[in-house]
Every structure is written in C-alpha cells, then in structure tokens.
Amino acid sequence: MKTKQTLPAMIALVAIMAVAFSPMALAIDADSNVATTTNVAGVSADASISTSVAAERPVDTVVRPQVQFDGTTSGWAIIAGQAHEAKIAIDGKAVRNDNGVWRVSSDAEISAADRHAKLELKGKAINGKIKLHGTGTLDSGESFRIILRGHYTPVYDEQGTFVMAFTAAKIHSAQNGIHMPLIQSGLVNVEAVDPSTNDYEKFVDEFTVQ
C-alpha cells in the first residue's frame, strides 16, 4: 500500500519539475551580459549576470614639441603721464598643441620706476603673435594684473634667438583701477626640450612667423 501511495507522488513531483524548468532560456546580448528567464505558472523571474570588463583608456604616447626660453625685455612704463624705465625678465616653457597653438607658461620679474614684483605668466603663441597674462603684488603691497600682447620673430643668422616686442601691454592696478601702459622689446633665447625637436630647422618651422 505504501508503494502505491508513493509512486503517484513521485510521478507528480517529476511532472512539476519538468514544467518548472522546460521554459528556461539563456541569452547573451551585445554587451556580453548573460540573462536567464524562468517562467513557472505565469510568474517570470529575470536575472542578469554582467561579464563585461571596463576597457582601460589608451595611454597617450604622443611626444609634443616643447621648448624652453629665457630673456629680458626693456623699455618704458607710462605712470601718471610720464615714462619710467621698465624691464620684464621671463623664464619658462612652451608646449605645442595639435591645433598649432603653443601654450606658454613662465616665471617673470617686472620692475618699473621704483616698483618691483614677481609673478607667473600664462598664455599662448602662434604665427609670430604672443599673448600673456598674470597677477602679482608689488613691493609696496599693491596688487595688479598684467596683460602682454605682441610679436616675436627669429633673428637673422642667430640660431635660437628671437626678438620679442610687447606692443600692446599694460598693468592694471586692482586698488585704484589705474592702467599703466607698457612699451617693451628685447631678445629671448629659445631651445628645444625633447628629442623630437632637437633639430633646430624642424623646430623653427613650427615656432617662427608664418
């Protein structure tokens, strides 16, 4: 009697398992995600297992042309309607971007009349034109902003030497709003930094006036 009662129960259990697992589906999408779907008696359950691995960003191995430079411009600063001797010493580097623009950064010292300050300059140069700007504090404690715009060009038969002239330059006082025009010109020495620009002829084609 026990055997007769157990056998139908076993048959029923097998039937239930067959119904439960027969609709199971396995799918892999374009992103390598594995999904299983089970439908039992009208109830569905979805499970996703992500097997994708985040791709690492490619390493930029491009060696960009880079130069270092130093030099001094001298001339005049117009203060209260009178011209005072002024000088700007610069020492920095320039890196060429893909669009042909040279990104410039430089330490600088400026002196005008009895005033003196150290500051950092940033800007760009392209096709013989240069624009730099920066902020600093004079020895007197007066803060200021400086804007230097001008031109540069290589000196004939003097490798690595450029004439630089800031023809539209000024100092703007943060305290009283006064603008002091600058008239500056001088020589700047330029050298290639990395091996890709050691050939001066190749370098000067990218950095000279066009």
Side-chain angles (χ1 to χ4, degrees):
M1 294 296 292
K2 292 182 179 180
T3 304
K4 291 181 179 180
Q5 292 176 353
T6 306
L7 183 59
M10 293 180 62
I11 294 174
L13 178 61
V14 171
I16 292 173
M17 293 178 63
V19 172
F21 292 99
S22 59
M24 182 175 288
L26 178 66
I28 302 177
D29 61 19
D31 294 327
S32 301
N33 293 321
V34 180
T36 60
T37 302
T38 304
N39 192 328
V40 180
V43 180
S44 63
D46 293 335
S48 296
I49 304 173
S50 177
T51 59
S52 60
V53 178
E56 295 183 359
R57 294 183 179 179
V59 178
D60 185 5
T61 58
V62 177
V63 178
R64 300 183 184 278
Q66 184 177 158
V67 298
Q68 60 187 15
F69 59 86
D70 66 89
T72 302
T73 63
S74 60
W76 307 94
I78 311 303
I79 304 173
Q82 295 182 328
H84 296 260
E85 290 188 357
K87 291 184 178 181
I88 302 175
I90 55 177
D91 184 357
K93 66 178 181 180
V95 180
R96 185 182 186 274
N97 288 347
D98 293 335
N99 58 2
V101 175
W102 290 81
R103 292 293 176 183
V104 182
S105 60
S106 173
D107 294 327
E109 289 189 44
I110 182 171
S111 60
D114 57 350
R115 306 176 187 185
H116 177 269
K118 293 183 178 181
L119 65 157
E120 293 183 359
L121 297 174
K122 294 183 178 180
K124 60 184 180 180
I126 184 171
N127 294 340
K129 297 179 181 180
I130 187 169
K131 179 180 179 180
L132 301 174
H133 61 87
T135 57
T137 304
L138 296 170
D139 293 336
S140 59
E142 182 181 0
S143 59
F144 68 94
R145 176 176 174 81
I146 187 171
I147 299 174
L148 304 172
R149 293 192 182 109
H151 300 79
Y152 60 88
T153 188
V155 177
Y156 173 73
D157 207 26
E158 291 190 29
Q159 180 171 307
T161 302
F162 285 71
V163 170
M164 184 172 293
F166 295 120
T167 52
K170 62 184 177 181
I171 295 175
H172 176 218
S173 172
Q175 268 73 19
N176 51 36
I178 294 176
H179 291 260
M180 293 175 281
L182 295 171
I183 304 170
Q184 295 281 299
S185 64
L187 298 179
V188 175
N189 299 311
V190 180
E191 297 179 4
V193 174
D194 61 76
S196 66
T197 54
N198 276 344
D199 183 350
Y200 178 76
E201 295 300 330
K202 177 182 177 182
F203 150 70
V204 79
D205 286 342
E206 295 180 338
F207 198 64
T208 191
V209 180
Q210 297 179 5

